[in-house]
Amino acid sequence: MLTYKEVKDIESQFGSPFYILDEAAFKKNYDDIVNAFAARYEKFILAYSYKTNYIPYLCGIIMTKGGYAEVVSRIEYDLALRIGQDPKKIIFNGPVKNYDDIELALKNESIVNLDSEYELDYVRRYAAGNPARKVKVGLRINIDLTDENGVSHLYEGMRAGRFGFSSESDNISRIISELCRVKNLTINCLHGHSSAWDRSVWCYEKITKTLCEIASKYAPDTVEYIDIGGGIYGYIPPQMRRTQMPSFNDYAKAVCGILTGNPWAKNRKPYLVLEPGVAMSANVLSYVTKVVSIKNIKGNILVTVDGSAFHTKPTFHKVNQPHTVISKDKKENHGIYSVCGATCMEKDYLLNDIDDIVPERGEYIKIDSVGAYTIVLTPTFIHPTPPILVRQDDHYKEIRRRQTFEDMFDCFCFE
Ligand SMILES: Cc1ncc(COP(=O)(O)O)c(C=O)c1O
């Protein structure tokens, strides 16, 4: 629990607002996921989804723990290399890769999952130009997540997702046979990430089953990785829960049960890859912002802070994250109020209609569980992006400093 004095000290050193990283929580998420899966299936790989939160400090922890990097763009791929990640432990996904990206990743023997037909040409070109190399690529499969009641479990109930190759058997057989016609080319990975609105165990069973079926039918001797993507639930605070939340053990039991029961997988023993993002990062960042003003407009109490919802929920979802008022002294003055940000957008509300101690000007509000899709999605908008701090022994260390005028404007032309 941070005290007012501690926050004041941090502010005097680093300014306000700021993020605090809970390194232990990140490591625990990694260990808990790995323990759940590896206890049931030995050849398990956790590939951290960089896009969810690519603070280099976090990516470094993944590398130290022996995890893989899951990247979806060249900039993320280059970040993984810069961190020192073994290129063989990088999984390169994503719908848009150019020839140079694919060439570099294949040369480095990274796991490259193709998403569209245009990439097949790039891979064929690379294989033809490097006849002495054994080239291996993966395919992302577009998996139908409609259940037996006709309910689509895909994001927003969509009829079909937009990623990967359509899973109809004639399409898959055509693509695989086209690739296998190239003498030095094999399919080493099948990938099935799908964004499901309910993140249910059923979805992961369906993904695992579908990938094993395709592998056993079309590439039984070459597939080494069954990659079920990310999307699993992590530790979500009670007030943010929407649907039933399976545990890591629930997911692991279902997925590993299918692998250990599938005749092809039993024999072939592929690696099982999971690419968690939210489950790894959501609960690892808190955000502290200072109260600048308190007003009452038409009966609504509005607490304006020096931070912004762009820093805590850039997707502007309506759920209030867990929060704490950090007051100078003990107070009893509860009220219902909203917390608004320092930008000029009407919609910039960090918290809506909360019933809590009403803070005074100069006090602070801490908002937790802001680790997923914040740092990577926050634009430079009106104010610079805040520093990220981590506690080390008796002091805080900056693992990202506050953005400066130069950071913001050096890439523009002034003439
Ligand atoms: C290919 C891929 N892997 C992993 C993830 C991570 O998903 P989540 O952050 O929901 O775990 C995503 C998210 O969109 C993705 O597209």
Side-chain angles (χ1 to χ4, degrees):
M1 265 289 275
L2 278 172
T3 64
Y4 175 80
K5 185 182 171 319
E6 281 166 331
V7 176
K8 195 113 189 89
D9 285 350
I10 298 172
E11 190 202 347
S12 67
Q13 223 182 322
F14 302 104
S16 171
F18 55 87
Y19 295 96
I20 298 184
L21 172 69
D22 185 344
E23 182 175 344
F26 188 73
K27 289 177 173 165
K28 182 173 180 330
N29 292 340
Y30 182 94
D31 292 341
D32 288 354
I33 296 172
V34 170
N35 289 342
F37 281 84
R40 298 174 168 94
Y41 191 80
E42 206 183 324
K43 291 175 78 176
F44 175 72
I45 292 169
L46 188 155
Y48 175 53
S49 169
Y50 269 33
K51 73 186 126 330
T52 319
N53 185 333
Y54 43 54
I55 300 172
Y57 192 84
L58 293 181
C59 300
I61 292 173
I62 294 294
M63 181 183 68
T64 310
K65 281 186 160 289
Y68 283 44
E70 187 266 329
V71 305
V72 287
S73 69
R74 178 61 178 271
I75 204 92
E76 289 187 355
Y77 189 86
D78 288 345
L79 172 62
L81 292 181
R82 168 78 188 272
I83 278 156
Q85 183 81 24
D86 175 354
K88 291 186 182 135
K89 290 187 167 186
I90 303 177
I91 300 178
F92 198 165
N93 295 325
V96 178
K97 313 178 197 75
N98 63 31
Y99 180 75
D100 290 347
D101 304 336
I102 288 187
E103 182 186 41
L104 175 68
L106 291 178
K107 209 183 270 175
N108 281 340
E109 296 179 40
S110 302
I111 299 165
V112 181
N113 288 319
L114 310 180
D115 194 275
S116 304
E117 302 237 355
Y118 79 91
E119 292 172 304
L120 304 181
D121 293 334
Y122 292 168
V123 167
R124 276 191 292 252
R125 184 169 16 139
Y126 177 79
N130 296 272
R133 286 188 87 116
K134 283 200 167 96
V135 181
K136 297 177 177 185
V137 288
L139 296 178
R140 177 160 177 179
I141 309 295
N142 185 300
I143 295 177
D144 183 358
L145 288 185
T146 308
D147 66 22
E148 58 193 18
N149 300 316
V151 175
S152 168
H153 290 245
L154 264 185
Y155 174 72
E156 291 189 347
M158 288 164 82
R159 202 173 58 81
R162 68 185 178 98
F163 299 109
F165 296 92
S166 188
S167 64
E168 284 92 28
S169 57
D170 52 347
N171 187 50
I172 296 294
S173 103
R174 177 182 61 80
I175 286 158
I176 294 185
S177 60
E178 263 181 41
L179 284 175
C180 291
R181 243 178 268 141
V182 182
K183 237 183 21 224
N184 57 332
L185 191 63
T186 54
I187 312 289
N188 68 339
C189 179
L190 292 178
H191 179 268
H193 175 84
S194 304
S195 299
W197 56 264
D198 61 350
R199 301 173 187 259
S200 65
V201 165
W202 177 84
C203 296
Y204 291 88
E205 287 174 335
K206 175 82 192 282
I207 293 168
T208 313
K209 244 186 243 168
T210 307
L211 296 181
C212 286
E213 277 163 18
I214 293 174
S216 70
K217 202 159 166 193
Y218 300 109
D221 302 324
T222 63
V223 168
E224 300 163 63
Y225 302 94
I226 291 292
D227 183 341
I228 60 173
I232 63 167
Y233 271 119
Y235 298 111
I236 310 283
Q239 62 267 54
M240 293 180 73
R241 293 180 190 178
R242 280 185 305 164
T243 54
Q244 218 196 344
M245 286 182 40
S247 67
F248 298 148
N249 279 318
D250 294 334
Y251 290 115
K253 217 182 281 174
V255 169
C256 301
I258 285 169
L259 277 179
T260 50
N262 177 281
W264 168 79
K266 235 160 124 174
N267 181 42
R268 176 79 184 148
K269 296 194 174 53
Y271 286 97
L272 166 66
V273 183
L274 183 71
E275 302 173 347
V278 168
M280 282 293 301
S281 63
N283 64 338
V284 310
L285 280 186
S286 298
Y287 180 76
V288 178
T289 180
K290 184 171 172 169
V291 175
V292 175
S293 87
I294 294 152
K295 9 177 153 171
N296 189 324
I297 294 185
K298 288 193 173 172
N300 296 323
I301 303 176
L302 300 172
V303 171
T304 302
V305 293
D306 60 3
S308 166
F310 282 97
H311 300 156
T312 58
K313 45 175 159 186
T315 54
F316 287 89
H317 61 75
K318 289 278 175 240
V319 184
N320 288 330
Q321 292 113 323
H323 48 269
T324 320
V325 174
I326 301 175
S327 313
K328 255 187 280 207
D329 39 35
K330 206 166 163 4
K331 291 192 179 68
E332 304 297 337
N333 57 330
H334 267 252
I336 293 178
Y337 60 93
S338 294
V339 178
C340 333
T343 71
C344 302
M345 301 288 270
E346 274 291 1
K347 67 173 181 180
D348 190 358
Y349 278 72
L350 293 85
L351 300 167
N352 288 288
D353 300 322
I354 56 171
D355 185 356
D356 211 329
I357 295 163
V358 184
E360 288 171 24
R361 186 175 140 73
E363 293 184 325
Y364 303 91
I365 297 175
K366 178 164 81 72
I367 303 176
D368 299 317
S369 286
V370 300
Y373 298 104
T374 47
I375 302 301
V376 293
L377 273 181
T378 298
T380 299
F381 181 58
I382 301 187
H383 299 284
T385 50
I388 304 167
L389 314 174
V390 65
R391 192 172 176 92
Q392 289 188 339
D393 304 321
D394 60 347
H395 67 283
Y396 284 91
K397 176 185 151 163
E398 249 177 348
I399 54 170
R400 179 181 80 174
R401 60 170 170 72
R402 188 177 306 281
Q403 216 175 23
T404 61
F405 180 89
E406 286 71 28
D407 293 332
M408 286 170 67
F409 294 108
D410 265 8
C411 53
F412 289 90
C413 255
F414 277 75
E415 279 154 38

